[in-house]
Amino acid sequence: MEKPVFTGNFTQQEPIPEAAIAAALDVMRSGRLHRYNLLPGDEGEVAALEREFAAFTGARFALAVASGGYAMSCAMRAIGVQAGDKILSNGWTLAPVPGAIASLGAIPVFVETTQDLTIDLDDLAHKARESGARVLLLSHMRGHICDMDRLMTIARAHDLQVIEDCAHTMGAAWRGVASGRHGVVGCYSTQTYKHINSGEGGLIVSDDPEIMARAVVLSGSYMLYGKHTAAPPVEMFENVKYETPNISGRMDHLRAAILRPQLAALPQQVARWNALYRMLEAGLRNIAGLRVIERPPQESIVGSSFQFLLPDWSADRMRALLAACAARGVELKWFGAAEPVAFTSRYDSWRYAPPQRLPRTDAILAGLIDMRLPLTFSEADVRMIAEIIRDEVVGASTQAAE
Ligand SMILES: *Cc1c(COP(=O)(O)O)cnc(C)c1O
């Protein structure tokens, strides 16, 4: 019998909603694309997005910027990180995270990863003590949220300020508190592959007026910070405005116009993502040798991607599985490859950072498979993907046993 082949596209997003297209056309017809180019009395799309995003996350303040990577470097500058400072961060994350640290001339100190794909809190406490670092750039990589209660206890004990990288957790929560609202600053991305799509873009939230005033000036507000509607009161800028450099990285009205209708629809999109995620999870349960990542009950997830582990598989077996799945149209990513490929790279290829050894992370990544779950997939698509993976994993195991 012919083996079924999946013909869907793992990188195909949904179209931008019609309401967002209409709003974008209005911005273009106005000619006023710069966020501070406003008619008297206008709030403007960017300030409106900030106001709505602050409400969405429950933060006092929000700021829209040029990218998620910019959001993280801006947040670190705003809390006072200096060149040469050590910054704790996840050993398993995406390259813009250590890149943001390096952009300040700061030094990443990588923390181990658990089998649940979250930061290893014992190693975090150990490295906080050992390194003397005062900042943790915590990446909720692929949407996996660690025990935030315990993490914040460790942070308080070691006097660590926590900045959250929520590129994969916009719309997610831990015990009902939005991701990005546990630390002092939360950073988000609106890049095409994240949860709302403006091509490129980022958002920052915080309750701290001084940090946020600095972030606003850093983002390139000039002396126009009074035009923000989700920023601290203008008095907060009195000293900040002289001491803070303009490191231009604003968002424009066009992107904000595209994002606002998507933000309003995000809760429905999250429900759709999670339906696909739970279906895939069910389809991949009870396969010998394949470990599904159990999501804790405290975590409200956004299932925009899916990961599973094949513990103890050799590199050759992993490569054979990837090739067999790819031949049947199922595009899997593997974090165990020796060389960085496409978006996927590993801490040992970020060689601007001092060399570090993370043996537990290495062991996890050697068996870690990752895939995107775009909303253009139907439930039938997801059932077929699960079936193909099951077939190929079981097939590979049967061969290995022979
Ligand atoms: C995409 C991503 C970022 C950075 O977002 P950009 O908007 O692309 O700069 C940060 N962290 C993680 C984990 C990401 O996946």
Side-chain angles (χ1 to χ4, degrees), residues 145 148 169 171-179 182 298-302:
I145 303 179
M148 289 304 296
T169 55
W174 178 264
R175 281 213 293 121
V177 176
S179 185
H182 296 83
Q298 299 94 321
E299 192 188 20
S300 311
I301 69 165
V302 181

Side-chain angles (χ1 to χ4, degrees), residues 67-69 72 93-94 96-97 139 141 165 167-168 189 191 194 200-201:
S67 74
M72 293 184 284
T93 184
L94 238 60
V97 180
S139 185
M141 178 60 173
D165 165 23
H168 303 156
S189 169
Q191 191 240 72
K194 315 298 163 98
E200 305 288 354

Side-chain angles (χ1 to χ4, degrees), residues 201-216:
L203 287 150
I204 299 175
V205 299
S206 182
D207 287 347
D208 187 304
E210 197 178 324
I211 290 172
M212 216 48 186
R214 275 195 229 111
V216 167

Side-chain angles (χ1 to χ4, degrees), residues 241-254:
K241 70 183 178 190
Y242 299 108
E243 290 164 4
T244 310
N246 173 333
I247 305 183
S248 196
R250 290 171 304 274
M251 185 178 277
D252 56 87
H253 289 318
L254 195 50

